[in-house]
Amino acid sequence: MEKKLEGGFSILEVLIALAIFGIFATSIIFRVSNNVTGSIQMDEDITLHNLAELKMNEVLLAKKAFTNATENDVDTGNFTIDGYQSFQYKVEIKPNEFPDFSQLTGTSEDDQAETNPVQKLIFDKLKKNMEILLWQVRVTVTNTETNYSYELNSWIENSEGKIDTNFNF
């Protein structure tokens, strides 16, 4: 009586199984490396965001007086916090610029003055007052080792600004 061997794998079946496993392992390694790279970038982004918020809060709490003489002042430097000396900041404060009434309505200034002078006067006063009261703060934080940067913008109220309430023609 002869014994027949059953249950073994052929070399072709083993090679196919190894090829499928290799493709699966390669895709897993690729995804894990992408996740690690994304985590590193996200960690740096969070650090830059937190440093920008810290500097923005310093500016907002300082309650600096804003005038045309200070609009071109740019504050730059490095953070002095332990472990963050390689991060630089740049703080820019400037007045907001609002569009003219004719730009918003899509007509020429001559047409607007003739058709609705009251509306134009109110808009011009409002524009002038808003440009006095609202200033823009831009904080940019840069990691000098990676040259990766983050920018944070906000509006700040110019509490020293005097608004014009005279609406005479």
Side-chain angles (χ1 to χ4, degrees):
M1 193 182 218
E2 283 184 38
K3 250 185 173 181
K4 194 172 180 184
L5 295 175
E6 293 181 18
F9 293 106
S10 70
I11 189 77
L12 184 59
E13 291 171 330
V14 170
L15 288 175
I16 290 172
L18 284 174
I20 291 171
F21 177 75
I23 291 169
F24 176 73
T26 303
S27 69
I28 291 293
I29 290 170
F30 178 73
R31 293 205 187 270
V32 167
S33 69
N34 279 345
N35 285 343
V36 169
T37 302
S39 294
I40 291 169
Q41 289 174 343
M42 187 180 299
D43 183 50
E44 184 170 13
D45 193 43
I46 289 170
T47 300
L48 290 169
H49 174 78
N50 287 339
L51 290 172
E53 275 189 343
L54 175 72
K55 193 47 87 172
M56 180 68 75
N57 288 336
E58 287 177 9
V59 170
L60 295 175
L61 291 174
K63 298 200 182 229
K64 184 177 177 181
F66 305 114
T67 64
N68 290 337
T70 61
E71 80 178 70
N72 293 323
D73 287 349
V74 177
D75 181 21
T76 60
N78 287 1
F79 286 92
T80 56
I81 304 168
D82 288 341
Y84 298 101
Q85 287 87 358
S86 64
F87 292 87
Q88 292 180 335
Y89 64 87
K90 178 180 175 183
V91 178
E92 300 170 273
I93 302 173
K94 62 181 183 176
N96 277 320
E97 294 179 11
F98 294 92
D100 290 330
F101 189 67
S102 60
Q103 291 173 322
L104 289 176
T105 58
T107 58
S108 70
E109 287 189 32
D110 295 334
D111 293 340
Q112 285 298 326
E114 292 174 9
T115 57
N116 202 344
V118 174
Q119 190 177 18
K120 182 174 179 348
L121 173 72
I122 291 171
F123 179 83
D124 288 343
K125 288 287 186 180
L126 180 64
K127 175 183 181 246
K128 180 182 172 189
N129 288 334
M130 292 301 286
E131 287 175 347
I132 291 170
L133 292 177
L134 286 179
W135 287 56
Q136 180 183 11
V137 179
R138 177 182 297 140
V139 176
T140 306
V141 177
T142 305
N143 184 344
T144 57
E145 294 173 354
T146 62
N147 282 337
Y148 191 65
S149 64
Y150 185 87
E151 186 175 289
L152 186 62
N153 291 292
S154 183
W155 286 345
I156 189 169
E157 177 191 359
N158 181 8
S159 58
E160 302 295 320
K162 304 293 183 213
I163 61 171
D164 183 8
T165 58
N166 183 8
F167 284 94
N168 292 335
F169 282 98

